[in-house]
Amino acid sequence: MRVMPQSVYRYIFRYSKWQQVVVIILTLTLLPLAPVPLELQRRLLDDAVANKDVDLLIWLAMLYVAALLVASGLKLAMRIQRELISARIVHALRRSVYYHIYTVTPPSLLKASAAGDDVVDEGAVVSMLSSEVEKLGGFAGAAISGPLLQVGTLFVVLGYMFFIEPLVASIALALYSPQFIIVPIFQARLNRLAGEKAITVRALGNYIVDNAEPDLLNKPPPEGFTTLTDRILRLRTRFLMTKNIMKTLNNLLISLGPFGVISYGGYLVIQGQAEVGVILAFVSGLERLGGPIRELIGSYGSITDARMRYRILLDSFPMGMDPEVPEPMPKMRGPEIQGAHT
């Protein structure tokens, strides 16, 4: 007897605990490799090219390629494991939705159904079993390893940059910092719009299910249908506008990073206080920071969106069910999902 988890992360752990451990190990193995290409680029210019050392140039180039191949292999393994986790969670969610909507129907609803009343919102169930669980499952694969990889990469690369040239690294960090204020503000609005849209799409599905086919065939779209579709369009338009404004501001701030580094770093090179290889490593480092920052912003949005969707999912279960009372969860069967449950 187990209660339906009240946290999306608890649900994910229930069905993919050991798979998540594998992904985390792969992520932690990948993190130390992040600054290796930056250091090799710097040494290629400052040591090999500047000293015209061909043997060192070849050796460093071979190390560079080897580092890229190892990192690519680890990323491939991590992506495959993430996709397998996502597929498993989608399967588990569909079983859980069916179980909590139909299998453990409260006695009061059973009596109402026997009396001929419609006690299940079929349109909402179809929406939950299709698009909603797919989105939650897509989040599950990178729920932990995604933010861990992005935050870890930021700290490792920034640590390397501060070790090489603290002042230049400080300038880059200052230019990127405003994003961590802007994003939560915009994301709160995006989550509210996404929640309203999900509920309205359910209502649209239920409208189609509830209306008899003869009432819809060979007739103009009824007012109820057009009202719901118009509302979905307005919500989607506002969502896209907000999302693109946030994305534009983030991209602008990320673009300012290389400008600041090249400007100040170039001044240091002219003054003889830094080498060209250091500036190249910093510009490359900023490019490596830009990706994780964008992905971290995306992860923050995915986490808050998943929590919102999971809460809507739980709220859709029959009101007669007490979430604090343990209920049996469906048993997973089949060789393709062995190990998915605890």
Side-chain angles (χ1 to χ4, degrees):
M1 303 291 281
R2 291 188 294 179
V3 65
M4 183 74 174
Q6 297 300 293
S7 164
V8 64
Y9 272 93
R10 289 181 181 176
Y11 189 93
I12 291 170
F13 264 104
R14 171 174 288 181
Y15 291 101
S16 64
K17 178 171 58 179
W18 295 113
Q19 290 75 25
Q20 294 287 353
V21 171
V22 172
V23 175
I24 290 172
I25 291 173
L26 290 170
T27 302
L28 294 176
T29 306
L30 186 61
L31 284 179
L33 296 175
V36 172
L38 305 180
E39 178 64 15
L40 290 174
Q41 288 175 8
R42 186 175 72 87
R43 291 191 177 276
L44 278 166
L45 284 177
D46 293 342
D47 296 343
V49 175
N51 297 322
K52 300 180 180 179
D53 190 335
V54 177
D55 291 337
L56 182 59
L57 179 67
I58 294 174
W59 173 244
L60 291 174
M62 291 174 62
L63 285 177
Y64 190 91
V65 173
L68 290 181
L69 289 175
V70 171
S72 297
L74 289 171
K75 287 179 180 178
L76 175 61
M78 184 172 63
R79 290 191 188 105
I80 291 174
Q81 189 65 26
R82 284 180 178 179
E83 293 297 329
L84 292 175
I85 291 173
S86 294
R88 186 163 297 166
I89 294 300
V90 169
H91 177 85
L93 278 168
R94 287 194 172 117
R95 294 289 298 274
S96 294
V97 168
Y98 185 93
Y99 183 83
H100 283 274
I101 294 294
Y102 292 105
T103 305
V104 290
T105 307
S108 59
L109 294 184
L110 286 175
K111 291 180 181 179
S113 179
D117 295 336
D118 187 6
V119 298
V120 175
D121 188 343
E122 289 90 351
V125 174
V126 170
S127 179
M128 284 188 279
L129 290 175
S130 55
S131 62
E132 293 183 32
V133 299
E134 288 286 347
K135 291 176 181 177
L136 277 172
F139 160 77
I144 300 172
S145 62
L148 177 62
L149 177 62
Q150 293 135 21
V151 172
T153 301
L154 286 176
F155 275 101
V156 170
V157 174
L158 274 175
Y160 169 80
M161 294 170 68
F162 272 102
F163 177 76
I164 298 297
E165 187 59 59
L167 188 55
V168 178
S170 299
I171 293 172
L173 182 61
L175 290 172
Y176 284 157
S177 294
Q179 293 181 83
F180 300 103
I181 300 174
I182 293 173
V183 170
I185 296 174
F186 277 86
Q187 193 61 51
R189 178 174 174 79
L190 288 175
N191 289 343
R192 180 176 60 80
L193 292 171
E196 292 180 14
K197 178 174 171 288
I199 293 173
T200 308
V201 169
R202 284 189 186 182
L204 178 63
N206 195 52
Y207 180 87
I208 297 298
V209 171
D210 286 347
N211 282 269
E213 190 174 283
D215 296 336
L216 302 176
L217 292 176
N218 201 30
K219 295 179 181 179
E223 183 180 354
F225 175 84
T226 56
T227 299
L228 289 170
T229 54
D230 288 348
R231 176 167 172 75
I232 292 172
L233 176 61
R234 288 195 299 271
L235 290 170
R236 183 172 179 81
T237 301
R238 289 159 60 189
F239 182 91
L240 292 174
M241 290 290 292
T242 304
K243 179 181 178 180
N244 280 286
I245 291 172
M246 181 182 73
K247 187 175 181 179
T248 299
L249 290 174
N250 290 331
N251 289 339
L252 176 62
L253 291 171
I254 289 176
S255 299
L256 287 174
F259 167 76
V261 167
I262 293 173
S263 299
Y264 185 74
Y267 171 77
L268 292 180
V269 171
I270 293 173
Q271 297 297 316
Q273 299 177 23
E275 298 175 329
V276 175
V278 173
I279 306 306
L280 176 64
F282 268 64
V283 173
S284 181
L286 287 174
E287 292 176 357
R288 287 181 174 272
L289 285 178
I293 287 176
R294 290 188 185 95
E295 291 176 3
L296 185 60
I297 291 170
S299 291
Y300 176 79
S302 297
I303 291 170
T304 56
D305 181 72
R307 286 175 173 168
M308 176 269 298
R309 291 183 184 279
Y310 189 73
R311 177 50 52 190
I312 291 176
L313 197 69
L314 291 183
D315 291 344
S316 301
F317 293 155
M319 295 300 293
M321 286 181 57
D322 183 357
E324 299 302 324
V325 177
E327 297 288 354
M329 293 293 289
K331 293 182 179 180
M332 298 304 196
R333 300 290 185 186
E336 75 282 1
I337 52 173
Q338 287 302 313
H341 63 283
T342 56

